[in-house]
Amino acid sequence: MIDAIDRSILRYFKSDGRMTATALAAKVGLTVAPCHRRLRDLEAAGIIRGYRADIDPAAVGLGFEAIVFVTLRQVDRSTMEIFESRVAGNPNIVEAQRLFGSPDYLLKVIAEDLPSYQRFYDSELTSLPGVERLTSTLVMKNLKANAGPPV
């Protein structure tokens, strides 16, 4: 279980993951050593899953986004494992969720533009194992992304 101080650490770190332990300690009202220990404990418990840069896809030439709903022909263990492995290994699929009900999966795909998305759709998405139906919805505007859980 995490307490109010841990939640405060998570709130500050969520907004600025590069904050030093000294600055974080000052914000949450701890000295550096206990703050650093709490950070290590949150990491060891898997509450803090890692650190990464939040890169703007459009700034690196990948400004086109599509949400793809996937329905599988059959939902057996082997098909799902192969499908999920291929999805996880594809760098243009930046988010993927398995859903209850229909459709079976939701994928977020990034590409340079519509023609490159079409090529990706034709060569990659249609070749995923067990796919019965793909339905694409194009993203007009991102209002909120990578917000993380409320802490």
Side-chain angles (χ1 to χ4, degrees):
M1 293 297 296
I2 62 173
D3 63 15
I5 294 173
D6 289 334
R7 287 188 186 283
S8 184
I9 287 170
L10 292 171
R11 268 193 301 280
Y12 283 112
F13 229 49
K14 182 176 132 179
S15 66
D16 182 3
R18 293 180 57 149
M19 183 180 291
T20 66
T22 303
L24 183 60
K27 296 259 188 198
V28 299
L30 293 174
T31 59
V32 175
C35 182
H36 194 260
R37 187 189 77 251
R38 283 177 177 259
L39 269 175
R40 281 194 322 257
D41 291 347
L42 290 166
E43 292 167 351
I47 295 167
I48 296 177
R49 295 187 292 193
Y51 302 91
R52 63 180 182 86
D54 184 10
I55 299 167
D56 178 3
V60 294
L62 298 167
F64 185 88
E65 296 180 33
I67 305 299
V68 182
F69 298 99
V70 181
T71 302
L72 299 180
R73 271 189 296 281
Q74 60 210 39
V75 187
D76 60 85
R77 172 175 264 162
S78 175
T79 301
M80 288 188 320
E81 286 175 353
I82 296 167
F83 176 88
E84 290 177 6
S85 174
R86 292 260 312 270
V87 164
N90 193 305
N92 287 79
I93 301 172
V94 295
E95 291 182 30
Q97 288 84 31
R98 182 174 166 201
L99 308 174
F100 278 109
S102 184
D104 299 308
Y105 291 91
L106 181 150
L107 311 177
K108 181 178 175 185
V109 176
I110 59 174
E112 286 180 30
D113 51 24
L114 182 58
S116 65
Y117 173 70
Q118 179 195 349
R119 287 188 299 277
F120 178 80
Y121 183 98
D122 293 346
S123 66
E124 300 290 328
L125 294 177
T126 60
S127 71
L128 289 169
V131 170
E132 177 179 298
R133 182 174 50 253
L134 297 166
T135 305
S136 295
T137 300
L138 306 181
V139 175
M140 182 185 307
K141 179 180 180 182
N142 249 324
L143 302 177
K144 186 175 184 178
N146 301 321
V151 288

